Every structure is written in C-alpha cells, then in structure tokens.
Amino acid sequence: MLDKEFYVLAFDSTHYAINTEKKLKEHLKIETIPTPREISTSCGLSIKFGVELLDKVMELVKEDLNNMKLYRIVREGIKKNVYPMSI
C-alpha cells in the first residue's frame, strides 16, 4: 500500500546516498528509491522513510547535512505534492 505521507532525503552524489543508506539501515527501516522526478538533484538515488522516523534519521545524519536535502511528500489521490524542508 502506498504511503500517503513520507520523507525523502536527496543527495548531490551517489557516494553520499550509499554512505547514508548504510548508516541508516543499521538502525532503522528505510528504503532506497529512485529520486522522484519532482526533485532535481545530481543523484538518481534517494532515501525514503516514514514520518515517525524523522527525528531519528536527523539525529543519525546530522554530521552530513551539507550533502543532502530533505523533502516531505504528500500524496493526494494521484497527485504527489513535494515540499522542501529546511534541515
């Protein structure tokens, strides 16, 4: 079933995406996905996680925030709204 609301971390490079994936998967249930087309970055990989994990994810990646951007995605029917978040 599709999540109605979730967060996505997008990266400047695949290197940062893979390193962050390894770090987060040690502690949390996350998913590596193709970067949604509504988000323009240099990297085709993003990390998706549930709303309930936001604080834990931010704590784990706080030293690498310069290499990523955070987006909140809300699905309304077939429409997907993407909101850039400050981190």
Side-chain angles (χ1 to χ4, degrees):
M1 182 170 193
L2 295 175
D3 297 325
K4 288 188 175 185
E5 184 175 347
F6 54 93
Y7 287 97
V8 168
L9 284 174
F11 302 89
D12 294 331
S13 79
T14 304
H15 171 78
Y16 294 125
I18 292 171
N19 282 346
T20 303
E21 176 191 33
K22 287 180 185 176
K23 183 184 291 185
L24 293 177
K25 277 193 170 178
E26 291 176 10
H27 306 280
L28 304 170
K29 182 179 178 186
I30 57 144
E31 184 178 350
T32 302
I33 62 170
T35 300
R37 72 177 80 169
E38 295 84 355
I39 299 171
S40 65
T41 67
S42 298
C43 179
L45 296 176
S46 292
I47 294 177
K48 174 184 173 183
F49 56 94
V51 174
E52 71 282 0
L53 298 178
L54 178 61
D55 291 339
K56 292 177 184 173
V57 168
M58 291 296 102
E59 178 65 25
L60 290 169
V61 300
K62 65 184 177 187
E63 295 175 4
D64 302 317
L65 294 177
N66 292 333
N67 304 316
M68 61 186 75
K69 295 177 182 162
L70 176 66
Y71 297 89
R72 183 171 63 100
I73 297 180
V74 180
R75 292 182 193 269
E76 295 176 9
I78 60 170
K79 187 176 177 186
K80 188 183 333 177
N81 297 310
V82 178
Y83 303 99
M85 307 293 291
S86 61
I87 51 176

